[in-house]
């Protein structure tokens, strides 16, 4: 299912003639944010609540869209190729996360290793510990098999719905026609009065949001 959402993120950009190679980075950013939200709840209780999961889902979408918008802004404003910017953003995100999780946790200051948190436990150790998901993820009365897992059916249904929704937008709406027109012929779309800059930003944001969902699913399912 994570691959399904990642594929949708790539596909909608391809329709607009854009190459979002930053799916992995957007997933990383969204997944890291998801784990931070989970960790904040684990500091006070042993089980992650449904409210935190819903919050993490939408925050992951926002983070993914925000990262993709950086590349979209560079493309629409300065003409910087999105392949270059998204690949570089992948590594920027990777090393930022590495800094917060690993390097900052044991930063050597005046000859002494200072941990990231004043409470004494590093961010890295808390991100790697196991956590208990709520009952609608793993119903205790029917076991942990994939077909008995409510969450699997929720995200499968969500994936199918988004596939149909994107198909409808691209095939049945003027907005979808403009997206395809940019991908087929940028000059013709410009002469017809299409705002390429705004459409580039919108498409990249949609792609990033889908990448955020993919990252959320990937990291919560590990």
């Amino acid at each position: 299912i994570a691959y399904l959402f990642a594929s949708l993120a790539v596909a909608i950009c391809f329709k607009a003639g854009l190459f979002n190679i930053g799916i992995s980075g957007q997933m990383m950013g969204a997944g890291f944010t998801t784990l931070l939200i989970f960790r904040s709840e684990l500091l006070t209780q042993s089980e992650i609540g449904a409210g935190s999961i819903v919050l993490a889902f939408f925050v992951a979408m926002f983070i993914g869209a925000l990262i993709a918008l950086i590349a979209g802004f560079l493309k629409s404003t300065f003409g910087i190729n999105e392949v270059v910017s998204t690949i570089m953003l992948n590594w920027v995100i990777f090393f930022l996360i590495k800094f917060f999780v690993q390097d900052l946790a044991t930063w050597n200051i005046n000859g002494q290793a200072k941990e990231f948190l004043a409470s004494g436990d590093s961010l890295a150790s808390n991100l790697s510990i196991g956590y208990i998901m709520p009952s609608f993820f793993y119903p205790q009365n029917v076991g942990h098999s994939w077909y008995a897992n409510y969450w699997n059916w929720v995200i499968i249904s969500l994936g199918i719905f988004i596939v149909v929704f994107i198909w409808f937008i691209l095939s049945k709406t003027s907005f979808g026609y403009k997206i395809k027109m940019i991908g087929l012929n940028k000059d013709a779309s410009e002469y017809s009065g299409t705002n390429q800059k705004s459409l580039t930003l919108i498409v990249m944001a949609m792609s990033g949001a889908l990448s955020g969902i993919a990252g959320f699913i990937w990291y919560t399912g590990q």
Side-chain angles (χ1 to χ4, degrees):
I1 302 300
Y3 287 135
L4 169 63
F5 282 97
S7 301
L8 288 172
V10 175
I12 194 168
C13 279
F14 280 177
K15 285 292 185 180
L18 299 169
F19 295 88
N20 184 3
I21 314 298
I23 302 297
S24 57
Q26 292 149 27
M27 288 177 64
M28 262 191 291
F32 178 65
T33 308
T34 296
L35 294 180
L36 285 180
I37 294 174
F38 285 179
R39 181 185 177 281
S40 66
E41 186 146 348
L42 289 173
L43 291 175
T44 58
Q45 59 190 45
S46 60
E47 181 175 332
I48 298 170
S52 293
I53 293 173
V54 174
L55 173 64
F57 178 84
F58 286 105
V59 170
M61 287 182 62
F62 173 77
I63 294 297
L66 184 64
I67 296 170
L69 273 174
I70 296 174
F73 174 78
L74 294 174
K75 170 78 172 182
S76 60
T77 306
F78 302 107
I80 298 174
N81 191 287
E82 69 277 6
V83 174
V84 175
S85 59
T86 50
I87 290 176
M88 294 185 72
L89 279 170
N90 285 344
W91 288 105
V92 169
I93 294 165
F94 172 81
F95 281 108
L96 276 175
I97 294 174
K98 180 179 180 294
F99 173 74
F100 284 111
V101 171
Q102 182 176 340
D103 300 338
L104 192 58
T106 56
W107 204 342
N108 192 293
I109 302 176
N110 296 327
Q112 292 183 335
K114 301 293 184 181
E115 298 215 352
F116 178 47
L117 298 174
S119 60
D121 54 348
S122 69
L123 183 62
S125 63
N126 269 280
L127 286 177
S128 61
I129 63 176
Y131 48 81
I132 302 173
M133 302 302 280
S135 58
F136 70 83
F137 267 65
Y138 304 110
Q140 296 178 359
N141 58 332
V142 291
H144 289 201
S145 55
W146 73 269
Y147 53 84
N149 185 333
Y150 299 158
W151 177 242
N152 281 337
W153 293 111
V154 168
I155 59 176
I156 288 171
S157 301
L158 178 63
I160 294 172
F161 171 78
I162 292 182
V163 167
V164 175
F165 180 70
I166 291 178
W167 169 83
F168 178 80
I169 289 179
L170 293 175
S171 303
K172 305 296 182 181
T173 67
S174 59
F175 174 70
Y177 183 79
K178 290 178 181 178
I179 291 176
K180 292 188 291 185
M181 186 165 55
I182 289 179
L184 291 171
N185 194 319
K186 293 185 181 295
D187 293 333
S189 65
E190 183 178 0
Y191 291 140
S192 68
T194 302
N195 190 330
Q196 294 187 16
K197 290 185 177 181
S198 62
L199 273 178
T200 297
L201 292 173
I202 293 172
V203 170
M204 288 298 289
M206 292 173 64
S207 176
L210 292 169
S211 300
I213 297 176
F216 171 83
I217 293 171
W218 181 261
Y219 282 86
T220 55
Q222 296 306 302

